[in-house]
Amino acid sequence: MSSQASNVIPLRKEREGETAVESALQRLADEHEMALRRFVRVRLAGHPDHEDLVQEVFLRVARQDRLQERLSRSADAVRSYLFSIATNIIRDRYRQALMRKKHDEVINFGSSMEDAACSAEDIVSVQEQRDIIKSAILKLTPSTRDAFMMSRFEGLSYRQIADRMNISVSMVEKHVMRALSGIRQRIDRHGT
């Protein structure tokens, strides 16, 4: 038996009524959870959601297609897989928080302009720009508009959008790029 084979997480039943996948997931958590917690805690700098994020990593692993195949790789490959999932979740959450912040800034922009005693022309200009953007979004094809709205206004990752729309991640990227291009062209045509 090779040394690499001994590092593989076995997929066999251990307890009565427990499936091979459940058993493998439990061993996976037992073996990697503490290191994963440290990894997440350092990257989130004490953010209160770090415990939830670790649980989300294991939930995503459990939902994977071909899970037995993924878990039957070497322990190093499985560990790397877990940490890449954690990194992606951290990126997704950061992106969602950034989108929420941008969305809040856009929503509050009009009222802050009014509070700052801006001129009527400035307020009208901002409203016209919003109308142009809204019109551009409404002219997008339904699938392109949906992908764009989920990305920009709901803060979903491309993977999450792909899962919701039942399309590939690359197709989501194309939809979002098409939407941005269409919006930019409409803005340019109106000279704003």
Side-chain angles (χ1 to χ4, degrees), residues 10-133:
L11 292 174
R12 56 182 162 69
K13 291 186 181 183
E14 284 195 350
R15 295 183 204 125
E16 188 66 33
E18 186 176 60
T19 67
V21 172
E22 290 168 342
S23 175
L25 285 171
Q26 184 58 53
R27 281 193 299 280
L28 185 68
D30 292 344
E31 187 173 329
H32 298 287
E33 187 173 14
M34 291 308 295
L36 197 55
R37 284 183 191 285
R38 283 190 302 272
F39 176 82
V40 169
R41 194 176 318 116
V42 167
R43 274 142 191 88
L44 292 181
H47 194 276
D49 287 348
H50 75 273
E51 292 293 327
D52 292 340
L53 196 139
V54 172
Q55 294 305 315
E56 189 173 340
V57 169
F58 289 110
L59 283 172
R60 284 195 186 182
V61 170
R63 290 184 195 135
Q64 292 295 314
D65 293 332
R66 302 183 335 240
L67 179 60
Q68 289 184 331
E69 178 185 321
R70 290 184 186 274
L71 296 182
S72 65
R73 297 178 181 156
S74 73
D76 288 339
V78 170
R79 180 183 171 96
S80 175
Y81 176 61
L82 286 174
F83 284 74
S84 68
I85 290 173
T87 300
N88 289 338
I89 294 170
I90 291 168
R91 283 184 190 143
D92 289 348
R93 288 191 178 185
Y94 175 75
R95 199 172 323 150
Q96 288 170 352
L98 192 59
M99 285 296 116
R100 275 192 299 274
K101 182 179 178 192
K102 286 181 181 179
H103 180 261
D104 290 345
E105 288 173 0
V106 168
I107 296 298
N108 295 326
F109 183 65
S111 63
S112 67
M113 283 185 64
E114 293 163 6
D115 293 343
C118 292
S119 71
E121 292 85 19
D122 290 339
I123 294 170
V124 169
S125 175
V126 168
Q127 289 171 341
E128 286 175 354
Q129 289 176 4
R130 274 196 230 161
D131 290 343
I132 291 167
I133 293 169

Side-chain angles (χ1 to χ4, degrees), residues 172-184:
V172 172
E173 291 171 354
K174 289 175 186 171
H175 281 308
V176 172
M177 288 292 132
R178 195 174 302 134
L180 291 170
S181 175
I183 292 167
R184 171 54 52 202

